[in-house]
Amino acid sequence: GFRQRRAFQRARAAVVAMQTAVRGFQARALRATHLRAAVAVQKTFRRFSALQRYHCARYALKQLQRVARGFLGRSVARRLAGEREREREERAAVLVQARWKGRQARRAWKETRRSAMTVQAHYRGWLERKSLWAHCKALAMKAREVRRRIEEARRQVQEHMKLGNRTQAGLDVLVNSNSITTTLKAVGSLEVATRYSPECAEIIAEMGALVRLYLVLQSCNRSKPHLTLAKQTLQTLVNFTAHGARFRDQVAQLPLAADVLA
């Protein structure tokens, strides 16, 4: 029994040692498996935590960037709006200044133009009055000269040179003379009298000189003295027609008028 117990104890000790070794190996293997699993879990958890922190930080950074960019954008927008408002205000101020300066310039130009026109009007009026005064003075001097010459002519006039006496003398010569020279002088005197005096024209018509004038025309030929006489006679007849319709009728209705003028 001792040997058996001892063999059993030895076998039992060997079994226990073997079990201890196996169990130690299994425990170490299990511990290594658990350690690897813990490391994997830790790694996964840490990776998840890191990703969570990363995503949170990224979201926070995005939010911060969005807020900052929004603030910067609003600041830029306000600055641009302020600049546009300032530019608009500057343009409006420049426009108002331009309108006001233009109005002031136009008003000053109108005042200057009105003043210049007033000065011009006064100056031109002065020139016109001066010219009119000089013209009136010249006319007065001419009138005085004419009156002086008329008075001098009246003092120096001879009786036979008066228009009535010249008319009467011309009629006497026209009726009684047959000389071309004296007849030409008489017709010239009648032409002057009929040109300036309707009364002399009436006296000549009443004395029947119109018939004598037509007879003078009828007696004229193509010689130069007769042509001059015919011209003076026709001018005398034309002078009669200038003094009224009555003389025109007398000149046109004489029996010799148609024959002589034809």
Side-chain angles (χ1 to χ4, degrees):
F2 175 75
R3 291 180 177 180
Q4 290 180 348
R5 285 193 302 272
R6 191 164 181 161
F8 172 73
Q9 288 177 351
R10 288 179 178 176
R12 183 182 178 188
V15 170
V16 170
M18 189 179 294
Q19 286 179 346
T20 300
V22 171
R23 287 176 181 175
F25 173 77
Q26 289 178 347
R28 286 190 299 272
L30 182 60
R31 182 176 179 276
T33 302
H34 288 171
L35 183 61
R36 285 194 300 274
V39 170
V41 170
Q42 286 179 351
K43 183 172 65 175
T44 302
F45 179 74
R46 289 174 180 173
R47 180 174 177 274
F48 175 76
S49 298
L51 287 176
Q52 287 292 106
R53 287 194 301 273
Y54 167 75
H55 287 300
C56 289
R58 184 181 179 186
Y59 177 76
L61 183 60
K62 286 184 176 180
Q63 291 294 110
L64 182 61
Q65 287 178 344
R66 184 175 64 182
V67 172
R69 288 172 180 173
F71 173 76
L72 292 176
R74 286 190 296 272
S75 300
V76 172
R78 282 194 299 270
R79 187 175 66 254
L80 293 177
E83 291 178 356
R84 286 194 296 269
E85 186 66 24
R86 283 195 300 273
E87 290 177 358
R88 191 182 303 112
E89 291 177 355
E90 289 177 358
R91 288 196 299 269
V94 169
L95 181 61
V96 170
Q97 289 178 352
R99 295 294 178 84
W100 175 254
K101 290 179 180 178
R103 180 175 178 272
Q104 292 297 106
R106 287 190 296 273
R107 177 180 292 179
W109 179 78
K110 288 181 179 178
E111 291 294 332
T112 305
R113 183 170 179 266
R114 189 180 297 112
S115 301
M117 290 176 66
T118 303
V119 172
Q120 287 178 350
H122 286 288
Y123 180 70
R124 289 172 181 172
W126 177 77
L127 287 180
E128 289 296 327
R129 288 190 295 272
K130 183 179 179 181
S131 176
L132 181 61
W133 175 251
H135 184 65
C136 292
K137 190 174 180 180
L139 288 178
M141 293 178 63
K142 287 182 180 179
R144 285 195 296 270
E145 180 65 22
V146 169
R147 284 196 297 270
R148 186 189 63 78
R149 292 174 62 184
I150 290 173
E151 292 297 330
E152 185 178 355
R154 283 180 180 176
R155 287 192 301 269
Q156 296 179 1
V157 70
Q158 299 177 4
E159 192 66 27
H160 70 278
M161 293 298 293
K162 291 183 178 180
L163 193 58
N165 295 332
R166 290 180 64 181
T167 303
Q168 187 64 41
L171 287 173
D172 293 340
V173 171
L174 186 64
V175 173
N176 299 320
S177 177
N178 292 323
S179 173
I180 183 65
T181 304
T182 56
T183 303
L184 184 59
K185 291 181 180 180
V187 173
S189 298
L190 295 179
E191 194 274 329
V192 173
T194 54
R195 189 195 312 167
Y196 295 110
S197 177
E199 292 79 6
C200 292
E202 187 174 359
I203 292 172
I204 293 171
E206 289 177 355
M207 294 183 68
L210 292 175
V211 178
R212 183 60 182 168
L213 291 172
Y214 276 115
L215 291 175
V216 170
L217 276 176
Q218 193 176 18
S219 65
C220 291
N221 54 32
R222 294 180 181 273
S223 64
K224 188 174 182 180
H226 282 85
L227 290 177
T228 305
L229 178 60
K231 182 179 180 180
Q232 290 283 348
T233 305
L234 287 174
Q235 185 61 46
T236 304
L237 293 174
V238 170
N239 292 339
F240 274 103
T241 61
H243 293 304
R246 181 169 62 85
F247 291 111
R248 286 196 294 269
D249 295 338
Q250 289 182 6
V251 172
Q253 293 176 2
L254 288 175
L256 293 175
D259 295 334
V260 173
L261 297 177

